[in-house]
Amino acid sequence: MRRPAVFQNPSKDLSPSEVARIQEIIDRYRGTKGALLPLLSEVQVACGHWLPANVLAWIADEVDVHLSYLYGMATFYTMFSLEPRGQFIVRVCESPACHILGTQTVLEALREELDIDVGQTTPDGLFTLELSSCLGVCEVAPAMQINEVVFGNLTRQKIHEVIERYRRGDVVDYRKLPGSGGRVRTDWEIHRRAILLHGVGDIDPESLDDYLAIGGYEALRKAVLGMSPEQVVEEVKQSGLRGRGGAGFPTGMKWSFTLPLKAPEKYVICNADEGEPGTFKDRYIMEGNPHRLLEGLIIAGYAIGACKGFIYVRGEYALSMHRLRRAVEQARERGFLGQRILGSTFSFDVEIRSGAGAYVCGEETALIESIEGLRGNPRVKPPFPGVRGLWAMPTVVNNVETLANVPAIIKNGASWYRSFGTEDSPGVKLYQICGHVNAPQIVEAPLGLTLRELIEVYGGGMKDGIPFKMCQTGGASFGFFTAEHLDTVMDYASMQKKGGALGSGTMLVMNEKTCVVDVVRNIMHFFQHESCGFCTPCRRGTRVLYETLCRIAQGEGRESDLSLMVDLAQTMSATANCALAMSPIFFVRTTIERLKDEYLAHIVDKKCPLGVCSA
């Protein structure tokens, strides 16, 4: 589960300036629908990175919400704290990518440097050490984040230098950074034809004029001034664009369900809660060319007849939020947002919302609950959001990469878009390669690359020349490939046939020195930690799977555990409320089927053949 039931929540003596600041925040959000999450987030910053008991009681009285409800919110989202914290929150990423590249070494170095353990604060009140399920910077793993700033490719020496820098008061301003992680390579021909990454790394992401100079908002102008909503939906449908968040549902079809519905209001939500370990592609678009995402969102709003859009960004992506907010302001000033856009009859506005640390909010109905100011528990479906979504109104939810495809489709036409990719999977895709490769990075390419090509050409081959062993495909939710699958075409149908998935386009590559039991245990720790606890199959099932994997890693497993895990994961998949609990079956089953000997070595020989596990 996400947070221990027992916690300490002291009060705080507030200074006059803190009282004034908190009152201003409360007054600003008073009466605004679904404003509880941003209100708590801003108040936490005003209180010095935590939520004191007296402040929560104050908020409860002011906004007429029961205090127990506020505690429910504050204990659900992991970026909230009910205990005092330091001036600088040091979050260490423990995602699979960081795990295989040295999370434990990073933690050891920080424990020595700060002389504290996880969850503790240094005596001088400067640093608090915490863990993060994933920071979304897998291309620079292992990584940590200090407040809003990410530091990647960590070594003991780099950790020492960063901590000393902050001790001196030399604090990095995240708003002045070019980006949070790696950079897009522009020397490949494949990137010179970029669609999704067009302008990323070349234009000033905070300049609307720069975006207009590369053809920005031409597609919006074409749509609202020259096409009907039905024509826009049909163009996207004919393009074959499928959702790029993981499930791959046809985008135009999703829009077509909502367009004809009569309702007082409709909404479009951009799911930018990029919390799937191994996934970092959406961050490049938001940080590098936020207007592209905004243009796609506005066109989607026009296509279904929506009045407002929301971009829900994961809480760790501070730079993305900063640049998106700036883009929204600029778009309003130039008439691309607001009343009667570009002189048409279409009116539409956008609000940026921040998450607060909950992977499950990447599920569309949990995300809607969060925007409404609730805990992010997924809803029972049907009804689906397209019929009954945000505030019970028809709502379309698409992710960042999906919406970033839309301007190019509208501008150039469906036939042009279908000239890329394969028959089953037309168009372009952002692939992410990370783990044990020489050049972890993001690659935009037509759908249809092979895994071998991604590793050897774009990933620069295997790191340190250690041979390939396995790859988790599509993100932490999906199955593993081994060497026999390296020539699989990475599109939706081909990946599914081989027991993998295209998913978000993530490929976590691992070498022969990686223990499969250790990696699967790490992934399972993520899922049991991120379970919202709403339904029993997930709440209990993820815990049992994790504990079973721990026993196997410690040399205390039984051969019957292997069939038990597959059966349990299958039962979870068939009975749980949302896709979080449907995920373990893929990586549990494929690793047991394809790397069974390594599991058996832990069980029969009672030791890890690679010396990685504690056994």
Side-chain angles (χ1 to χ4, degrees), residues 203-212 289-291 326 330 334:
I203 67 170
D204 178 356
E206 297 188 35
S207 169
L208 174 56
D209 288 332
D210 276 17
Y211 183 59
L212 294 174
N289 192 358
H291 280 286
R326 179 69 182 130
Q330 293 173 335
R334 300 286 189 93

PDB file of all heavy atoms in Angstrom, residues 203-212 289-291 326 330 334:
ATOM      1  N   ILE A 203      14.325  25.230 -31.083  1.00  0.00           N
ATOM      2  CA  ILE A 203      13.620  26.483 -30.816  1.00  0.00           C
ATOM      3  C   ILE A 203      13.640  26.792 -29.320  1.00  0.00           C
ATOM      4  O   ILE A 203      13.921  25.918 -28.493  1.00  0.00           O
ATOM      5  CB  ILE A 203      12.162  26.428 -31.311  1.00  0.00           C
ATOM      6  CG1 ILE A 203      11.347  25.411 -30.484  1.00  0.00           C
ATOM      7  CG2 ILE A 203      12.094  26.111 -32.799  1.00  0.00           C
ATOM      8  CD1 ILE A 203       9.853  25.475 -30.758  1.00  0.00           C
ATOM      9  N   ASP A 204      13.344  28.022 -28.988  1.00  0.00           N
ATOM     10  CA  ASP A 204      13.172  28.413 -27.596  1.00  0.00           C
ATOM     11  C   ASP A 204      11.786  27.930 -27.168  1.00  0.00           C
ATOM     12  O   ASP A 204      10.767  28.400 -27.683  1.00  0.00           O
ATOM     13  CB  ASP A 204      13.265  29.933 -27.453  1.00  0.00           C
ATOM     14  CG  ASP A 204      13.035  30.426 -26.027  1.00  0.00           C
ATOM     15  OD1 ASP A 204      12.726  29.594 -25.143  1.00  0.00           O
ATOM     16  OD2 ASP A 204      13.147  31.644 -25.806  1.00  0.00           O
ATOM     17  N   PRO A 205      11.706  26.966 -26.239  1.00  0.00           N
ATOM     18  CA  PRO A 205      10.403  26.413 -25.875  1.00  0.00           C
ATOM     19  C   PRO A 205       9.471  27.405 -25.197  1.00  0.00           C
ATOM     20  O   PRO A 205       8.276  27.136 -25.075  1.00  0.00           O
ATOM     21  CB  PRO A 205      10.764  25.268 -24.917  1.00  0.00           C
ATOM     22  CG  PRO A 205      12.116  25.611 -24.386  1.00  0.00           C
ATOM     23  CD  PRO A 205      12.804  26.335 -25.491  1.00  0.00           C
ATOM     24  N   GLU A 206      10.003  28.544 -24.785  1.00  0.00           N
ATOM     25  CA  GLU A 206       9.164  29.560 -24.149  1.00  0.00           C
ATOM     26  C   GLU A 206       8.845  30.714 -25.095  1.00  0.00           C
ATOM     27  O   GLU A 206       8.412  31.776 -24.667  1.00  0.00           O
ATOM     28  CB  GLU A 206       9.842  30.067 -22.875  1.00  0.00           C
ATOM     29  CG  GLU A 206      10.007  28.976 -21.820  1.00  0.00           C
ATOM     30  CD  GLU A 206      10.506  29.502 -20.489  1.00  0.00           C
ATOM     31  OE1 GLU A 206      10.131  30.625 -20.115  1.00  0.00           O
ATOM     32  OE2 GLU A 206      11.274  28.784 -19.826  1.00  0.00           O
ATOM     33  N   SER A 207       9.062  30.474 -26.397  1.00  0.00           N
ATOM     34  CA  SER A 207       8.799  31.520 -27.393  1.00  0.00           C
ATOM     35  C   SER A 207       7.699  31.051 -28.351  1.00  0.00           C
ATOM     36  O   SER A 207       7.908  30.121 -29.136  1.00  0.00           O
ATOM     37  CB  SER A 207      10.065  31.845 -28.178  1.00  0.00           C
ATOM     38  OG  SER A 207       9.772  32.666 -29.300  1.00  0.00           O
ATOM     39  N   LEU A 208       6.555  31.700 -28.312  1.00  0.00           N
ATOM     40  CA  LEU A 208       5.495  31.408 -29.278  1.00  0.00           C
ATOM     41  C   LEU A 208       5.932  31.774 -30.687  1.00  0.00           C
ATOM     42  O   LEU A 208       5.612  31.081 -31.657  1.00  0.00           O
ATOM     43  CB  LEU A 208       4.219  32.158 -28.891  1.00  0.00           C
ATOM     44  CG  LEU A 208       3.050  32.075 -29.872  1.00  0.00           C
ATOM     45  CD1 LEU A 208       2.664  30.634 -30.155  1.00  0.00           C
ATOM     46  CD2 LEU A 208       1.848  32.848 -29.320  1.00  0.00           C
ATOM     47  N   ASP A 209       6.676  32.850 -30.828  1.00  0.00           N
ATOM     48  CA  ASP A 209       7.144  33.255 -32.160  1.00  0.00           C
ATOM     49  C   ASP A 209       8.012  32.182 -32.791  1.00  0.00           C
ATOM     50  O   ASP A 209       7.941  31.944 -34.006  1.00  0.00           O
ATOM     51  CB  ASP A 209       7.912  34.572 -32.064  1.00  0.00           C
ATOM     52  CG  ASP A 209       6.999  35.768 -31.788  1.00  0.00           C
ATOM     53  OD1 ASP A 209       5.815  35.710 -32.188  1.00  0.00           O
ATOM     54  OD2 ASP A 209       7.459  36.735 -31.156  1.00  0.00           O
ATOM     55  N   ASP A 210       8.858  31.542 -31.998  1.00  0.00           N
ATOM     56  CA  ASP A 210       9.682  30.457 -32.529  1.00  0.00           C
ATOM     57  C   ASP A 210       8.812  29.314 -33.037  1.00  0.00           C
ATOM     58  O   ASP A 210       9.102  28.696 -34.072  1.00  0.00           O
ATOM     59  CB  ASP A 210      10.628  29.935 -31.441  1.00  0.00           C
ATOM     60  CG  ASP A 210      11.904  30.754 -31.335  1.00  0.00           C
ATOM     61  OD1 ASP A 210      11.916  31.892 -31.850  1.00  0.00           O
ATOM     62  OD2 ASP A 210      12.882  30.268 -30.732  1.00  0.00           O
ATOM     63  N   TYR A 211       7.747  29.008 -32.300  1.00  0.00           N
ATOM     64  CA  TYR A 211       6.850  27.930 -32.738  1.00  0.00           C
ATOM     65  C   TYR A 211       6.116  28.315 -34.015  1.00  0.00           C
ATOM     66  O   TYR A 211       5.974  27.500 -34.938  1.00  0.00           O
ATOM     67  CB  TYR A 211       5.851  27.598 -31.626  1.00  0.00           C
ATOM     68  CG  TYR A 211       4.938  26.440 -31.968  1.00  0.00           C
ATOM     69  CD1 TYR A 211       5.449  25.182 -32.273  1.00  0.00           C
ATOM     70  CD2 TYR A 211       3.553  26.609 -31.995  1.00  0.00           C
ATOM     71  CE1 TYR A 211       4.614  24.122 -32.590  1.00  0.00           C
ATOM     72  CE2 TYR A 211       2.709  25.556 -32.309  1.00  0.00           C
ATOM     73  CZ  TYR A 211       3.249  24.305 -32.603  1.00  0.00           C
ATOM     74  OH  TYR A 211       2.424  23.251 -32.918  1.00  0.00           O
ATOM     75  N   LEU A 212       5.665  29.550 -34.095  1.00  0.00           N
ATOM     76  CA  LEU A 212       4.990  30.007 -35.307  1.00  0.00           C
ATOM     77  C   LEU A 212       5.931  29.957 -36.505  1.00  0.00           C
ATOM     78  O   LEU A 212       5.503  29.665 -37.637  1.00  0.00           O
ATOM     79  CB  LEU A 212       4.475  31.431 -35.111  1.00  0.00           C
ATOM     80  CG  LEU A 212       3.364  31.615 -34.066  1.00  0.00           C
ATOM     81  CD1 LEU A 212       3.057  33.104 -33.885  1.00  0.00           C
ATOM     82  CD2 LEU A 212       2.109  30.858 -34.472  1.00  0.00           C
ATOM     83  N   ASN A 289       8.929  21.625 -26.696  1.00  0.00           N
ATOM     84  CA  ASN A 289       8.022  22.307 -27.621  1.00  0.00           C
ATOM     85  C   ASN A 289       6.593  22.215 -27.094  1.00  0.00           C
ATOM     86  O   ASN A 289       5.738  21.531 -27.658  1.00  0.00           O
ATOM     87  CB  ASN A 289       8.113  21.675 -29.017  1.00  0.00           C
ATOM     88  CG  ASN A 289       7.414  22.517 -30.076  1.00  0.00           C
ATOM     89  OD1 ASN A 289       6.823  23.546 -29.776  1.00  0.00           O
ATOM     90  ND2 ASN A 289       7.477  22.078 -31.326  1.00  0.00           N
ATOM     91  N   PRO A 290       6.306  22.892 -25.981  1.00  0.00           N
ATOM     92  CA  PRO A 290       4.996  22.748 -25.331  1.00  0.00           C
ATOM     93  C   PRO A 290       3.829  23.206 -26.188  1.00  0.00           C
ATOM     94  O   PRO A 290       2.710  22.712 -26.034  1.00  0.00           O
ATOM     95  CB  PRO A 290       5.131  23.606 -24.066  1.00  0.00           C
ATOM     96  CG  PRO A 290       6.215  24.595 -24.380  1.00  0.00           C
ATOM     97  CD  PRO A 290       7.168  23.853 -25.257  1.00  0.00           C
ATOM     98  N   HIS A 291       4.063  24.149 -27.099  1.00  0.00           N
ATOM     99  CA  HIS A 291       2.970  24.631 -27.953  1.00  0.00           C
ATOM    100  C   HIS A 291       2.453  23.541 -28.879  1.00  0.00           C
ATOM    101  O   HIS A 291       1.281  23.568 -29.275  1.00  0.00           O
ATOM    102  CB  HIS A 291       3.420  25.844 -28.771  1.00  0.00           C
ATOM    103  CG  HIS A 291       3.393  27.116 -28.007  1.00  0.00           C
ATOM    104  ND1 HIS A 291       2.222  27.778 -27.694  1.00  0.00           N
ATOM    105  CD2 HIS A 291       4.400  27.866 -27.467  1.00  0.00           C
ATOM    106  CE1 HIS A 291       2.506  28.882 -27.005  1.00  0.00           C
ATOM    107  NE2 HIS A 291       3.814  28.960 -26.856  1.00  0.00           N
ATOM    108  N   ARG A 326       3.488  28.756 -19.323  1.00  0.00           N
ATOM    109  CA  ARG A 326       3.919  29.892 -20.144  1.00  0.00           C
ATOM    110  C   ARG A 326       3.285  29.800 -21.533  1.00  0.00           C
ATOM    111  O   ARG A 326       2.833  30.816 -22.082  1.00  0.00           O
ATOM    112  CB  ARG A 326       5.448  29.887 -20.256  1.00  0.00           C
ATOM    113  CG  ARG A 326       6.018  31.012 -21.096  1.00  0.00           C
ATOM    114  CD  ARG A 326       5.847  32.347 -20.429  1.00  0.00           C
ATOM    115  NE  ARG A 326       6.354  33.429 -21.269  1.00  0.00           N
ATOM    116  CZ  ARG A 326       5.688  34.528 -21.572  1.00  0.00           C
ATOM    117  NH1 ARG A 326       4.461  34.706 -21.111  1.00  0.00           N
ATOM    118  NH2 ARG A 326       6.225  35.460 -22.321  1.00  0.00           N
ATOM    119  N   GLN A 330       0.766  32.559 -23.382  1.00  0.00           N
ATOM    120  CA  GLN A 330       1.069  33.138 -24.689  1.00  0.00           C
ATOM    121  C   GLN A 330      -0.045  32.863 -25.686  1.00  0.00           C
ATOM    122  O   GLN A 330      -0.406  33.728 -26.494  1.00  0.00           O
ATOM    123  CB  GLN A 330       2.396  32.565 -25.205  1.00  0.00           C
ATOM    124  CG  GLN A 330       3.611  32.993 -24.404  1.00  0.00           C
ATOM    125  CD  GLN A 330       4.868  32.267 -24.853  1.00  0.00           C
ATOM    126  OE1 GLN A 330       4.813  31.170 -25.401  1.00  0.00           O
ATOM    127  NE2 GLN A 330       6.017  32.875 -24.595  1.00  0.00           N
ATOM    128  N   ARG A 334      -2.428  35.646 -27.827  1.00  0.00           N
ATOM    129  CA  ARG A 334      -2.450  35.732 -29.296  1.00  0.00           C
ATOM    130  C   ARG A 334      -3.756  35.226 -29.908  1.00  0.00           C
ATOM    131  O   ARG A 334      -3.865  35.162 -31.136  1.00  0.00           O
ATOM    132  CB  ARG A 334      -1.283  34.931 -29.866  1.00  0.00           C
ATOM    133  CG  ARG A 334       0.087  35.404 -29.426  1.00  0.00           C
ATOM    134  CD  ARG A 334       0.517  36.698 -30.088  1.00  0.00           C
ATOM    135  NE  ARG A 334       1.909  36.969 -29.788  1.00  0.00           N
ATOM    136  CZ  ARG A 334       2.935  36.607 -30.563  1.00  0.00           C
ATOM    137  NH1 ARG A 334       2.708  35.971 -31.708  1.00  0.00           N
ATOM    138  NH2 ARG A 334       4.173  36.881 -30.195  1.00  0.00           N
TER     139      ARG A 334
END
